[in-house]
Amino acid sequence: MTGVKERVLEFLNYLQLSQGKFEEAVGLSNGFVNNIGDTIRESSIKKIKQQYPDLNEVWIKTGSEKMLISETEKMKSVAEDYVKIIDTQEMYEKAMKIGMHLIPEKNVFFQGGPELAVSDEVEHTMRYWHIPDSEDCTAVITMSGNSMGNVVPNGTKLALKPIGFDPNYPNEIPFGSIFAVMIEDRVTGKFHGHIKYLRRHPDHSRCNRLWIARSADTENYDDFEIDISLVRGLWLVKEYMIKTTIL
């Protein structure tokens, strides 16, 4: 990586200015550029910024981001417009430098169907996703199974928005939406997940204890009950990812 002096010289080359002309325009002492060391004083940066406000202070100090603020903002704006997979350290660092919001993809499969989807594998982050307008999502997971039909095909990546709910008032969630729900097995204590429409139980005497889980493919998959007391996590399915753009 270049040093501070080399970056100042690069900026002068961009401006097509000599060192003397630059020092005169900014109000710095003669020979200032030649005497720059590993760092540059804040007072000097302030003078330079007053004359050249588009110069990126972060770039001058560290070499990260773009030389010009306008270029950095343009890069960030373009990056924000597309879904991206971040699966290398280099891509991750690049995304962090331009301030992209990243969502971790976990090695967790949620089942589309009444069968259990239990894994003994330790949960970890496989890679990251950038998904525009999904700053409220905390994880990306994989849908397994066919019960959600063409609505959520098998293998689809799902961005999940956590939903807090009060077990004392379980019917205040947005019924009719597609949820990811994590349930603890009463016998084994293991967790398993489902991707389902959640509906209010039609029996008023049971609706505070049970939800109805419904598939998109109702011809081949029956509704089933979910014991609310065993729910350990609840998320809204906010985004489905089938096509992606690589950063």
Side-chain angles (χ1 to χ4, degrees):
M1 181 181 291
T2 60
V4 175
K5 180 178 179 179
E6 287 74 21
R7 289 192 290 276
V8 171
L9 291 172
E10 183 180 343
F11 181 59
L12 297 190
N13 184 60
Y14 165 76
L15 296 174
Q16 296 185 336
L17 275 180
S18 67
Q19 294 183 31
K21 290 290 185 182
F22 170 74
E23 291 161 352
E24 181 182 351
V26 173
L28 296 168
S29 60
N30 186 34
F32 169 83
V33 174
N34 282 332
N35 293 324
I36 295 176
D38 295 333
T39 60
I40 187 169
R41 292 181 179 178
E42 290 294 332
S43 58
S44 299
I45 290 179
K46 184 177 180 180
K47 289 182 178 180
I48 296 171
K49 288 282 292 177
Q50 286 176 341
Q51 185 68 24
Y52 304 103
D54 196 32
L55 178 63
N56 189 344
E57 184 176 336
V58 174
W59 177 79
I60 278 288
K61 291 179 177 178
T62 68
S64 62
E65 299 187 2
K66 293 290 185 178
M67 178 172 64
L68 303 180
I69 293 173
S70 55
E71 289 182 350
T72 301
E73 292 303 316
K74 180 179 179 182
M75 182 178 177
K76 183 175 179 180
S77 176
V78 170
E80 292 287 343
D81 289 339
Y82 302 97
V83 173
K84 298 172 185 68
I85 297 174
I86 313 296
D87 57 3
T88 68
Q89 184 64 28
E90 180 182 358
M91 294 165 68
Y92 177 81
E93 291 174 357
K94 179 181 176 182
M96 288 292 94
K97 284 180 180 178
I98 62 175
M100 290 174 63
H101 175 73
L102 300 183
I103 306 171
E105 179 182 345
K106 300 294 186 177
N107 60 324
V108 176
F109 288 80
F110 277 66
Q111 187 74 23
E115 302 84 2
L116 303 186
V118 181
S119 174
D120 292 325
E121 187 177 357
V122 176
E123 180 182 316
H124 67 272
T125 297
M126 300 169 62
R127 54 186 177 179
Y128 293 87
W129 291 71
H130 169 72
I131 307 169
D133 302 319
S134 294
E135 288 78 8
D136 51 358
C137 293
T138 58
V140 171
I141 56 90
T142 303
M143 161 73 176
S144 175
N146 300 306
S147 70
M148 295 304 288
N150 293 327
V151 178
V152 188
N154 181 35
T156 299
K157 303 296 184 182
L158 307 175
L160 305 183
K161 173 184 176 180
I163 296 292
F165 76 97
D166 187 339
N168 295 314
Y169 303 97
N171 296 308
E172 294 184 356
I173 66 172
F175 287 118
S177 302
I178 299 179
F179 289 88
V181 54
M182 185 69 74
I183 305 169
E184 182 178 357
D185 186 280
R186 193 186 300 275
V187 177
T188 66
K190 292 184 177 180
F191 291 174
H192 55 92
H194 296 285
I195 302 297
K196 285 285 174 275
Y197 293 108
L198 290 185
R199 302 177 66 87
R200 182 186 178 113
H201 202 288
D203 186 339
H204 290 292
S205 66
R206 307 176 72 190
C207 67
N208 287 322
R209 296 183 293 109
L210 301 169
W211 287 327
I212 296 296
R214 175 164 294 179
S215 302
D217 182 1
T218 55
E219 292 186 5
N220 297 302
Y221 295 87
D222 295 330
D223 293 352
F224 61 93
E225 296 175 336
I226 291 178
D227 186 334
I228 297 169
S229 68
L230 297 176
V231 173
R232 299 295 177 259
L234 186 67
W235 301 262
L236 272 175
V237 175
K238 184 170 180 179
E239 301 286 350
Y240 317 149
M241 281 77 68
I242 299 174
K243 295 181 179 180
T244 61
T245 303
I246 305 299
L247 178 65

